[in-house]
Amino acid sequence: MDDMTIRPAGEEHSLRGYFSVSRTATYGFLTALPLLVVYEVLIVAANRDAVHQIRISAEVWMKSLFALTGLAGSHILAVAVLVVGIIVIAVERRKKIPLRPKYFTFMICESAVYAAAVALLISRITTLIFGAAPAAAQMEEQSQLMQLTLSVGAGVYEELLFRVILVGGLFMIFKRLLSGKRAYVYILAAVIGALVFSAVHYTGAMGDEFEVSSFFFRALFGIALNALYLFRGFGIAAWTHALYDILVVLVLS
């Protein structure tokens, strides 16, 4: 979220250069783009015989906002994300950000490490406090294909809604209100965003039954994702979330 200065040629291949450019909006969008494409393809296949389409809640909420403007359609949000992403990249090209293909591989590998670490660490903390970690959310009535599809979708749309829009917005608001106190800004944005992220899982007809342990678990998960977004950017947060959810579906459920 800080203003970033792209370092001159010669430092681009260093570890510092990687961490510097990989947190830009350009790298964030391009790294998350495969998740967006995979989700949009898989969601069509997963809903092929469904009477009522199942989609990730964050996507449905964002589409509802679009509907207020008269824009609608199954893939309208994906198209909007693509358009905004292209505009952001065009604007950031003025910073002469070096595009290194290997950096995208590094970012996915980095996210995989975070996903595994988050799964282990948050489970341990929750177990220490509550005696046991909450069971992984089960969607037994849904196929594994649908569960994996929603996992990929969560990486894109939940991160867009709860990290880019919510936490990013809170950061900008608190930055103005708490001028010069950057540490407080980060903490406030991350904690409030995490509490909201956890709470929405218990709302609506498809919401889970409220449990203190699961709320705490999700709030910690939200804080971890918020920290990754604030310090490592959207791409890392999106892949960490998607890979964590996929890990839950394939291994922990």
Side-chain angles (χ1 to χ4, degrees):
M1 299 297 298
D2 298 328
D3 293 335
M4 187 195 67
T5 301
I6 302 303
R7 299 183 179 275
E11 290 191 39
E12 297 167 358
H13 298 286
S14 67
L15 187 61
R16 178 182 294 183
Y18 162 71
F19 280 106
S20 178
V21 301
S22 61
R23 67 188 297 271
T24 62
T26 295
Y27 271 83
F29 172 75
L30 292 177
T31 305
L33 184 58
L35 291 174
L36 176 65
V37 173
V38 169
Y39 171 71
E40 292 297 332
V41 171
L42 288 181
I43 201 67
V44 172
N47 280 301
R48 184 177 53 215
D49 300 320
V51 177
H52 302 288
Q53 283 202 350
I54 298 174
R55 286 180 174 262
I56 198 75
S57 296
E59 178 193 6
V60 175
W61 296 333
M62 294 173 74
K63 281 183 175 179
S64 297
L65 295 177
F66 268 90
L68 295 177
T69 66
L71 298 175
S74 297
H75 303 285
I76 184 63
L77 187 55
V79 173
V81 171
L82 287 173
V83 171
V84 171
I86 292 171
I87 293 173
V88 168
I89 290 176
V91 171
E92 282 203 336
R93 291 310 296 161
R94 294 178 298 177
K95 297 181 180 180
K96 301 186 183 303
I97 298 172
L99 293 178
R100 306 291 179 188
K102 64 181 179 180
Y103 282 2
F104 298 107
T105 301
F106 292 167
M107 290 174 69
I108 295 173
C109 292
E110 183 184 350
S111 300
V113 172
Y114 293 148
V118 165
L120 178 63
L121 181 60
I122 295 179
S123 294
R124 289 289 179 86
I125 293 174
T126 307
T127 298
L128 286 174
I129 294 175
F130 295 97
Q138 295 290 327
M139 297 181 287
E140 295 178 356
E141 73 281 4
Q142 297 174 14
S143 67
Q144 188 175 65
L145 173 61
M146 176 60 76
Q147 293 180 51
L148 291 172
T149 301
L150 295 178
S151 297
V152 174
V156 178
Y157 289 117
E158 287 192 5
E159 293 310 297
L160 277 173
L161 180 59
F162 294 108
R163 250 54 69 182
V164 177
I165 297 176
L166 178 60
V167 175
L170 289 173
F171 178 88
M172 297 304 297
I173 292 172
F174 293 143
K175 186 178 179 181
R176 289 182 175 273
L177 296 178
L178 302 172
S179 179
K181 300 180 179 179
R182 186 169 296 278
Y184 294 157
V185 172
Y186 278 126
I187 293 171
L188 277 175
V191 172
I192 294 176
L195 293 176
V196 174
F197 170 73
S198 182
V200 297
H201 286 84
Y202 307 97
T203 62
M206 300 294 291
D208 295 338
E209 183 177 350
F210 180 82
E211 294 181 353
V212 175
S213 61
S214 65
F215 179 87
F216 179 82
F217 183 93
R218 283 172 169 146
L220 282 185
F221 185 47
I223 289 176
L225 290 172
N226 292 343
L228 286 175
Y229 169 67
L230 290 169
F231 291 102
R232 294 296 295 119
F234 170 66
I236 293 291
W239 271 94
T240 297
H241 192 161
L243 291 174
Y244 170 83
D245 283 3
I246 290 171
L247 177 66
V248 169
V249 171
L250 295 180
V251 179
L252 303 180
S253 61

